Amino acid sequence: AQKVTQAQTEISVVEKEDVTLDCVYETRDTTYYLFWYKQPPSGELVFLIRRNSFDEQNEISGRYSWNFQKSTSSFNFTITASQVVDSAVYFCALSDLLDSNYQLIWGAGTKLIIKP
Amino acid sequence: DSGVTQTPKHLITATGQRVTLRCSPRSGDLSVYWYQQSLDQGLQFLIQYYNGEERAKGNILERFSAQQFPDLHSELNLSSLELGDSALYFCASSVAEALSGYTFGSGTRLTVV
């Protein structure tokens, strides 16, 4: 069965520090997508990135970067020079066909607190 | 604005009552998904509709039901409400199947008192 594990329940850092949020997934499918979403205190879900299983290139978007490693089934998210506005809960999610029928399987989320 | 519209944004009701949450998908999207997020928890998949037909069911209680109408908007009906039903309810839509992801609405915050 599919599973997404975000082992870090809460991370607290001081502004301008770099921080990495871990995500480990399990799936039997060879075709799947991985996602990161941000949920600020206001509650909405903000899409950050989608990566398919055939594309292992790392991606950088401004201060955000993602490291996808199929060998370790991980899709980690790094924020460089963190800012207070980055404080939010971050969710990693998996979508595949086998068993889940395209539903998103969510990790439990990591609450990130950036202190000024 | 994601293009997925959920109403109402906030809802406060008493135990035992029934409420209806509404979702209008993004234009052109045929699939609608409902998720429940209880306090400090991750999202739980409830149900999916595709072009008016139920496609998949997740952890949806028997007290809950949903439907998708010909104009593709969807409604989630919650009845005999309990305190534990207090949560954020999200709707998401996609063009077809959601393997490549979908767009979320801003959610309905339900408080049962």
Side-chain angles (χ1 to χ4, degrees):
Chain A
Q2 311 89 339
K3 187 177 179 181
V4 175
T5 302
Q6 294 180 257
Q8 304 149 307
T9 304
E10 184 174 304
I11 299 175
S12 180
V13 300
V14 177
E15 199 173 20
K16 297 183 183 177
E17 287 186 18
D18 298 347
V19 59
T20 296
L21 283 61
D22 298 333
C23 173
V24 175
Y25 63 92
E26 296 176 26
T27 177
R28 294 182 292 119
D29 210 341
T30 56
T31 302
Y32 53 89
Y33 282 79
L34 295 163
F35 305 82
W36 277 95
Y37 283 87
K38 173 182 180 180
Q39 188 175 40
S42 52
E44 74 272 22
L45 285 165
V46 179
F47 168 81
L48 296 178
I49 190 171
R50 175 186 70 229
R51 177 51 49 90
N52 75 57
S53 52
F54 300 107
D55 180 4
E56 289 193 69
Q57 275 193 327
N58 292 328
E59 182 156 339
I60 298 174
S61 176
R63 296 183 297 105
Y64 295 171
S65 62
W66 291 268
N67 185 325
F68 177 31
Q69 293 200 343
K70 287 178 77 169
S71 60
T72 56
S73 296
S74 64
F75 187 43
N76 297 335
F77 171 33
T78 297
I79 301 175
T80 303
S82 60
Q83 299 176 3
V84 172
V85 293
D86 295 327
S87 296
V89 179
Y90 291 85
F91 291 98
C92 179
L94 163 73
S95 177
D96 66 17
L97 173 59
L98 284 177
D99 300 328
S100 73
N101 195 28
Y102 299 117
Q103 298 143 32
L104 280 180
I105 308 300
W106 296 80
T110 297
K111 184 174 183 179
L112 178 62
I113 300 170
I114 309 296
K115 299 177 183 177
Chain B
D1 182 7
S2 67
V4 179
T5 304
Q6 286 188 250
T7 56
K9 291 195 183 309
H10 300 276
L11 195 52
I12 301 175
T13 190
T15 54
Q17 294 298 305
R18 171 190 170 95
V19 297
T20 297
L21 312 183
R22 181 187 170 100
C23 170
S24 294
R26 196 176 54 169
S27 178
D29 286 356
L30 300 178
S31 274
V32 170
Y33 301 75
W34 285 97
Y35 283 85
Q36 178 193 54
Q37 185 183 28
S38 299
L39 186 63
D40 294 333
Q41 293 191 15
L43 282 83
Q44 296 295 319
F45 169 71
L46 295 178
I47 197 163
Q48 176 203 356
Y49 280 84
Y50 176 75
N51 204 21
E53 294 187 1
E54 181 183 303
R55 180 59 63 92
K57 258 187 175 179
N59 300 320
I60 187 167
L61 300 172
E62 285 191 9
R63 300 183 286 108
F64 296 179
S65 64
Q67 54 184 327
Q68 186 178 28
F69 294 87
D71 67 352
L72 301 177
H73 91 271
S74 178
E75 292 182 357
L76 178 67
N77 301 297
L78 315 176
S79 61
S80 302
L81 284 168
E82 302 175 359
L83 295 178
D85 297 327
S86 297
L88 258 175
Y89 290 85
F90 286 102
C91 167
S93 73
S94 67
V95 173
E97 306 295 354
L99 186 62
S100 59
Y102 37 65
T103 305
F104 280 90
S106 57
T108 293
R109 187 174 295 277
L110 173 66
T111 302
V112 182
V113 298

